[in-house]
């Protein structure tokens, strides 16, 4: 379903090359719960951005549901992302001028979902992450963990078959974090693919297959018995 | 050294009052390592902002080193903050247009430290948090955990006697997080007061005294034997 072959990502900073990913090959099957771990700066978010079609590899090949992603132009990639992927960003990336409700509705708005329907679903998702009382707040009027939960709700707006979550519990207390993981676990059991970056072992334990990065390369892998 | 008496903070959102802190009384002595825990939305960052003189209480009194903070005007408060407090923000608050080095130098610049000296200290602090190779990067060219480490280095720039850290390891892998905590522990042993928000028990364990908030009130407190 998701297949990377010798993928590299080199960033250019001034006169220097920063090789964030130095040759990644992996395969993630439909319906997997996949965990990505590794030290700060090891390339996890970079890899997530490539898998999530938010960026393109410098070298290497990437297949998504059999389609070779390099052959898609930016519009096609954008459309693909909207339909297939829900992304929880490490730094949330909420729109400051929009309310909680409007932030969650945004992916639905882009897909042309009628306002009454997108509003109802946004309210449902806000309730699901414990923010039913914060619908009219703007991001600046929220706690860090509340912002993170809006980002999670937004990622689920179009009910995507693939959910990418980059440190979704980093700003959450243990109990709220586990509630979010239970939610992701339930979505996974219903057949959705979940790809999760985390540095917390208790959170990583929800992923049946786990990959460690170090300095832009795969260091090791673990798979639980079914 | 830090004393709060019946402190309340009420935010106004549209027509609604949000009582983020509903009556907090506490005392933090010079040189303590103090931990603040509690669920997402319970008021931790709000309390940190009050202690850190970034905001004022709606009601209640606040003494800092014997000075009644309500009697200080905004300029005096700003000056006090610059000299006495180093703040690691939950969402980092780095300046996007400045490099890592310039971000760390900023508090020194405001204090009139000569450029050669502030540059040398910024490079030293960047090394200390493992970012010696990232001095010329801008925040958009950093990983989440690297941004967090820049925020930590910046908080230490003026060598403040009081360090306030709001979730300083939320974006760090376990090993890097523990390195940062060792650093804070060493600074504390040298006599600095450290006030830390965290939701991770292993991180909270570095604080000898710990307070739990729930819905804007103190729920319980723990102190380790000396
Ligand atoms: N600027 C603001 N305007 C309105 N309400 C706010 C504002 N900042 C915080 N709040 C509200 O006050 C409450 C406490 O927020 P605070 O940021 O202190 O929580 P927290 O304990 O730090 O949470 P987290 O662990 O998620 O970071 C939350 O319910 C939040 O919605
Ligand atoms: N836009 C960019 N431009 C230049 N360098 C970048 C950029 N984004 C990331 N990097 C660099 O690439 C490396 C990998 O970054 P990445 O964000 O993927 O790490 P990460 O594993 O997600 O780290 P963390 O756990 O701290 O979030 C880092 O060394 C970082 O400095
Ligand atoms: Mg990252
Ligand atoms: Mg907070």
């Amino acid at each position: 379903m998701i297949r990377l072959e010798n993928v590299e990502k080199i960033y250019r900073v001034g006169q220097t090359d920063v090789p964030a990913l130095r040759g990644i090959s992996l395969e993630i099957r439909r319906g997997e719960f996949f965990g990505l771990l590794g030290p700060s700066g090891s390339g996890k978010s970079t890899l997530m951005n490539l898998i999530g079609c938010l960026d393109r590899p410098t070298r290497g090949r990437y297949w998504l549901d059999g389609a070779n992603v390099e052959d898609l132009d930016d519009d096609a990639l954008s459309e693909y992302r909207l339909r297939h992927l829900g992304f929880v960003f490490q730094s949330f990336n909420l729109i400051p001028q929009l309310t909680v409700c409007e932030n969650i509705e945004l992916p639905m708005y882009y897909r042309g979902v009628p306002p009454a329907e997108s509003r109802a679903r946004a309210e449902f998702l806000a309730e699901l992450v414990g923010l039913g009382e914060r619908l009219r707040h703007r991001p600046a009027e929220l706690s860090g963990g509340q912002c993170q939960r809006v980002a999670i709700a937004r990622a689920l707006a179009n009910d995507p078959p693939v959910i990418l979550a980059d440190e979704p519990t980093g700003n959450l207390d243990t109990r709220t974090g586990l509630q979010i993981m239970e939610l992701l676990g339930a979505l996974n059991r219903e057949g959705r693919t979940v790809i999760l970056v985390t540095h917390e072992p208790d959170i990583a334990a929800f992923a049946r297959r786990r990959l460690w990065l170090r300095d832009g390369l795969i260091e090791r892998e673990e798979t639980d018995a079914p």
Side-chain angles (χ1 to χ4, degrees), chain A:
Chain A
M1 163 176 212
I2 286 171
R3 194 165 141 236
L4 273 66
E5 195 175 82
N6 298 320
V7 158
E8 294 181 49
K9 181 68 189 180
I10 301 170
Y11 292 113
R12 190 116 189 104
V13 181
Q15 301 297 331
T16 332
D17 274 346
V18 177
L21 295 175
R22 300 195 281 141
I24 303 286
S25 300
L26 59 81
E27 204 171 300
I28 299 173
R29 285 171 288 283
R30 193 179 298 270
E32 269 201 290
F33 201 137
F34 189 91
L36 189 54
L37 297 98
S40 174
S42 55
K44 306 180 294 297
S45 295
T46 302
L47 182 54
M48 288 290 270
N49 289 344
L50 292 183
I51 292 173
C53 301
L54 292 159
D55 197 3
R56 294 177 185 274
T58 311
R59 286 183 201 118
R61 316 203 64 198
Y62 174 23
W63 290 269
L64 198 46
D65 281 346
N68 196 325
V69 165
E70 297 92 65
D71 297 339
L72 299 176
D73 66 22
D74 286 357
D75 285 341
L77 212 58
S78 217
E79 181 63 18
Y80 189 94
R81 230 173 28 234
L82 202 60
R83 293 184 160 282
H84 289 100
L85 304 167
F87 207 113
V88 186
F89 294 90
Q90 188 171 5
S91 51
F92 320 149
N93 294 10
L94 301 180
I95 311 291
Q97 297 82 0
L98 300 183
T99 63
V100 165
C101 192
E102 291 163 345
N103 263 288
I104 298 171
E105 286 185 85
L106 206 55
M108 293 182 268
Y109 170 76
Y110 283 130
R111 275 192 79 182
V113 175
E117 185 184 335
S118 69
R119 172 113 190 217
R121 178 153 174 85
E123 291 182 7
F124 163 73
L125 289 167
E127 283 284 342
L128 202 60
V129 298
L131 292 176
E133 313 271 297
R134 290 282 180 273
L135 287 166
R136 290 216 189 76
H137 284 227
R138 288 186 170 72
E141 297 162 334
L142 296 175
S143 78
Q146 289 167 342
C147 285
Q148 190 153 41
R149 284 181 271 157
V150 176
I152 291 161
R154 182 184 60 183
L156 305 179
N158 284 330
D159 195 15
V162 182
I163 299 163
L164 294 137
D166 195 343
E167 302 270 7
T169 63
N171 278 283
L172 300 175
D173 60 279
T174 310
R175 185 150 160 264
T176 312
L178 288 174
Q179 283 169 358
I180 292 299
M181 292 312 297
E182 296 292 343
L183 172 59
L184 292 177
L187 293 168
N188 175 247
R189 282 191 296 278
E190 289 169 14
R192 293 171 197 79
T193 308
V194 178
I195 303 168
L196 168 87
V197 171
T198 184
H199 69 263
E200 295 189 53
D202 293 350
I203 302 297
F206 281 78
R208 197 180 140 258
R209 211 170 130 224
R210 295 171 298 277
L211 202 78
W212 277 260
L213 293 187
R214 178 175 291 278
D215 293 327
L217 292 170
I218 294 173
E219 185 181 49
R220 76 172 207 250
E221 191 181 321
E222 268 179 21
T223 309
D224 293 342

